[in-house]
Amino acid sequence: MPQPEDNWLDGARRLDEEALAAIYDAFNMAIFCYAYRLLGDREVAEEIVAETFYRLLRSIGAGGGPNEHLKAYLYRVAHNLIVDHFRRHPLIELNLDWENVPIQDLSEDPVQEVEHSLEQAKVRRVLWKLTPDQRQVVVLKYFEGLSNHEVSQILDKPVGAVKSLQHRALNALRRMLTPAEA
Amino acid sequence: MLENDESIDKALSDYMTGRRSKIGMIDPYVSTLEKLEVLRNVPERDSEAQAKGRRAFLQQAKSITVPVSEVSKTRHKRWNIFQRKERSPMSTLASVLLALIVAFGGVGSTAYAAQASLPTDPLYPVKQLTEDVRLALTTDPENEVNLLLTLAEERVNEMMALADKGLQIPEETPLRLEHHLQLALSETAQLGDPAFMGALQRLRNMAQVRVQAMQQLQQKAPAEACQGLEYAIRAMNRAQNEAEDGLADPMNFRLRHGKNRPEDAPQQPENVPPKKKSTSPPPADEGSSGQGFGDGTGAGGGAYGNGYGDGTGDGGGAYGDGYGDGSCEGGGAYGNGNGDGTPCECPNRPPDGDP
């Protein structure tokens, strides 16, 4: 069954503004959340979004780009950019900046909010200890809500492999996050 | 194993959709999944940045047919954003904090434990971060002044605790105290009259009590701690003097410390000198006086009849009915009188503007 993405892709290949705008509107927030959850920096997440969509345009302009599975393509590009950024800014420099504490959502207890930020940083750090495929499966499935089929498209692996990665990732996370129970 | 993968996948899907049909399979992972939840909420996105990104994307699409070299140039520029030239001033702190997380193996109640830490403790950066967040959250100016004074008291307590233990006071601590006090003065200048007077009284009283306590401690403190205490006492004394001046002459205080100066206030020069005053009597009628503004940044002096004057060069600053300062070799004048606009002939003059 043809998906809206297919129509958008047809339009995007003609550089049709309406189709490109629809693509941007449909996926920019998801890419932002994906980048933010892994890197914890709003500014960098915005840059990842901008670069991801720019790369889509560049590929289309060069006669390439995805023929199908636009969403998977965008997540793949974003993932590569996130990993590139992470390599340039090793784990110890992952951001824990008070500017990234979501001020507008803060309760009345800043100590609690700082505690929350520290916990986020810890979980983020644990995620980066997973293998790249395991990390993608956890984040894409558990946080982004993608199906096994969609994740398999992004990873370019069979659905069975995705399930296996997921199981191993959960075991690894359990060992690292709740060592007493594991 | 494959069977297990399937079962876990099904149980996880049920768990994520709120169904718990395969309770037995997912149970060992529930606490792990709950820990992951801290990453669920993403802070609200800057709508302006989002709209700007969209516009840029559509604009890029219009230029996508330009030659390849143009495209390459654009890409290079965007990618360079990742190499941020300006690092956030908190980046170093962030690194320290994450190192702490690694060192302590977890967060648990790190932030709470940090609240009792001293500047020499490993958890102290967490305490500072908490204070920064607390300040960022406080939007009411009166509450902000109160918080800044509380933080200033906390710095004094920390320094006294270190001195009491015979430890050296890190240079940063009295500097942070001074920063709190300066911010408190600046924020106080924005307050309405009743709150303004109350804040200055609290600052003055706090400074009096704390200076006395620090001076007493100084008698028995080891040499390592004395320098820090001395700096802190000077900072507190300056703040106390400012508070007393503000209580005596609120308008002048607002002029010197305020961000939103009254509309009828005279224009202030760019190179506003540090807030200091001469304790000497107003100089003799040697400089220019009268109406108008003068700024002497060279050999001459600055003079202002009924406003503010500044001389940052060799000359002096003068203020008719207020504040005047010569921050280099000239003299400063304060009070009702004329300033001194003559070149200085006394290079070894004490630094505080005494003629």
Side-chain angles (χ1 to χ4, degrees):
Chain A
M1 195 173 77
Q3 300 291 313
E5 288 179 34
D6 297 331
N7 293 332
W8 292 340
L9 263 179
D10 285 343
R13 272 191 282 274
R14 297 191 308 272
L15 295 173
D16 174 68
E17 187 170 329
E18 203 176 317
L20 290 170
I23 290 170
Y24 190 88
D25 293 341
F27 300 117
N28 83 91
M29 195 63 201
I31 300 295
F32 174 84
C33 291
Y34 183 49
Y36 180 82
R37 288 199 177 102
L38 282 169
L39 296 172
D41 186 318
R42 274 186 280 198
E43 192 184 334
V44 175
E46 288 290 355
E47 289 162 3
I48 298 279
V49 172
E51 186 64 19
T52 300
F53 283 93
Y54 177 73
R55 289 197 177 195
L56 169 69
L57 281 181
R58 202 181 52 166
S59 298
I60 289 171
N67 291 319
E68 53 182 1
H69 308 317
L70 174 61
K71 188 178 186 178
Y73 173 88
L74 291 171
Y75 270 112
R76 255 200 315 270
V77 173
H79 176 79
N80 291 338
L81 293 170
I82 289 167
V83 171
D84 280 352
H85 178 81
F86 182 77
R87 283 182 186 144
R88 286 188 176 89
H89 302 82
L91 201 59
I92 198 69
E93 288 192 31
L94 267 182
N95 215 330
L96 181 60
D97 193 327
W98 74 270
E99 288 171 0
N100 279 315
V101 177
I103 297 290
Q104 68 274 19
D105 298 332
L106 285 177
S107 68
E108 287 180 0
D109 184 2
V111 181
Q112 197 178 351
E113 292 304 329
V114 170
E115 191 74 49
H116 185 68
S117 288
L118 292 171
E119 283 170 11
Q120 283 186 326
K122 185 194 172 192
V123 172
R124 199 170 278 126
R125 192 171 184 279
V126 167
L127 278 180
W128 279 100
K129 282 185 178 173
L130 297 175
T131 68
D133 286 347
Q134 286 176 0
R135 183 170 56 248
Q136 273 188 287
V137 170
V138 169
V139 177
L140 293 171
K141 267 204 78 177
Y142 192 68
F143 292 114
E144 309 304 322
L146 270 58
S147 68
N148 286 332
H149 184 66
E150 287 174 314
V151 177
S152 78
Q153 288 170 355
I154 294 169
L155 265 63
D156 200 19
K157 289 182 188 297
V159 170
V162 170
K163 290 176 181 173
S164 181
L165 282 166
Q166 174 180 263
H167 192 177
R168 286 202 292 272
L170 282 176
N171 282 332
L173 286 172
R174 189 174 152 213
R175 278 194 299 275
M176 289 186 278
L177 286 171
T178 52
E181 296 174 28
Chain B
M1 188 67 182
L2 283 177
E3 225 171 82
N4 273 348
D5 295 342
E6 287 288 344
S7 306
I8 289 290
D9 183 62
K10 177 73 172 59
L12 183 64
S13 299
D14 288 346
Y15 176 82
M16 286 165 62
T17 52
R19 297 192 304 271
R20 298 291 297 273
S21 58
K22 295 271 184 182
I23 289 173
M25 291 304 294
I26 200 67
D27 264 5
Y29 302 104
V30 167
S31 62
T32 303
L33 294 170
E34 282 170 355
K35 283 188 192 302
L36 289 181
E37 282 300 311
V38 291
L39 293 182
R40 172 77 61 196
N41 291 331
V42 172
E44 196 175 326
R45 201 169 163 197
D46 179 358
S47 55
E48 198 177 319
Q50 192 175 358
K52 196 175 162 189
R54 188 181 192 272
R55 279 198 303 275
F57 171 65
L58 295 176
Q59 195 59 40
Q60 284 165 344
K62 286 177 185 163
S63 61
I64 202 74
T65 50
V66 297
V68 175
S69 57
E70 190 67 25
V71 171
S72 167
K73 192 177 168 187
T74 310
R75 176 183 180 267
H76 182 64
K77 189 178 170 188
R78 286 215 63 81
W79 188 240
N80 273 349
I81 295 171
F82 282 85
Q83 311 292 334
R84 282 186 287 173
K85 286 176 186 170
E86 262 185 59
R87 280 173 61 85
S88 158
M90 296 292 284
S91 293
T92 311
L93 175 59
S95 303
V96 173
L97 287 172
L98 280 157
L100 285 170
I101 294 168
V102 177
F104 284 81
V107 285
S109 56
T110 308
Y112 288 98
Q115 301 314 302
S117 62
L118 291 174
T120 47
D121 294 341
L123 279 179
Y124 192 69
V126 179
K127 182 178 183 178
Q128 286 180 306
L129 176 67
T130 309
E131 289 177 358
D132 288 337
V133 171
R134 188 172 278 142
L135 271 174
L137 279 175
T138 310
T139 50
D140 178 66
E142 193 175 348
N143 290 341
E144 191 172 353
V145 172
N146 286 333
L147 176 58
L148 285 163
L149 295 183
T150 303
L151 295 180
E153 283 192 282
E154 180 62 22
R155 295 293 86 78
V156 173
N157 289 340
E158 289 166 0
M159 283 185 276
M160 290 178 68
L162 288 173
D164 210 32
K165 290 180 178 178
L167 297 172
Q168 188 169 5
I169 296 171
E171 192 181 339
E172 192 193 304
T173 309
L175 288 175
R176 202 163 157 90
L177 165 71
E178 192 175 32
H179 181 64
H180 294 327
L181 293 170
Q182 281 172 354
L183 268 181
L185 289 168
S186 172
E187 289 301 321
T188 300
Q190 318 303 319
L191 299 177
D193 281 341
F196 172 88
M197 300 305 264
L200 287 183
Q201 279 164 359
R202 188 184 164 197
L203 199 164
R204 182 192 58 189
N205 297 342
M206 184 267 283
Q208 273 171 351
V209 173
R210 294 295 167 166
V211 163
Q212 207 173 4
M214 282 192 285
Q215 280 170 339
Q216 281 172 3
L217 186 62
Q218 222 178 357
Q219 306 299 321
K220 55 175 183 174
E224 292 83 13
C226 277
Q227 198 179 350
L229 284 177
E230 186 58 42
Y231 192 100
I233 289 170
R234 282 204 302 272
M236 290 292 253
N237 276 333
R238 277 197 298 273
Q240 187 187 337
N241 287 340
E242 293 289 350
E244 280 168 0
D245 289 349
L247 288 166
D249 187 354
M251 173 59 87
N252 192 32
F253 181 91
R254 288 185 197 278
L255 280 172
R256 280 157 49 203
H257 293 285
K259 286 180 268 187
N260 304 314
R261 305 168 69 237
E263 283 179 11
D264 57 349
Q267 192 182 357
Q268 228 170 347
E270 290 286 322
N271 52 349
V272 178
K275 299 165 189 72
K276 59 182 180 180
K277 65 178 185 181
S278 165
T279 52
S280 62
D285 188 8
E286 293 174 343
S288 53
S289 62
Q291 296 293 325
F293 169 78
D295 172 25
T297 52
Y304 191 78
N306 293 306
Y308 179 83
D310 172 39
T312 54
D314 292 337
Y319 186 73
D321 293 322
Y323 178 75
D325 175 46
S327 58
C328 189
E329 294 179 323
Y334 184 78
N336 294 317
N338 297 316
D340 175 9
T342 56
C344 180
E345 293 174 1
C346 149
N348 297 322
R349 180 183 59 79
D352 274 343
D354 293 328

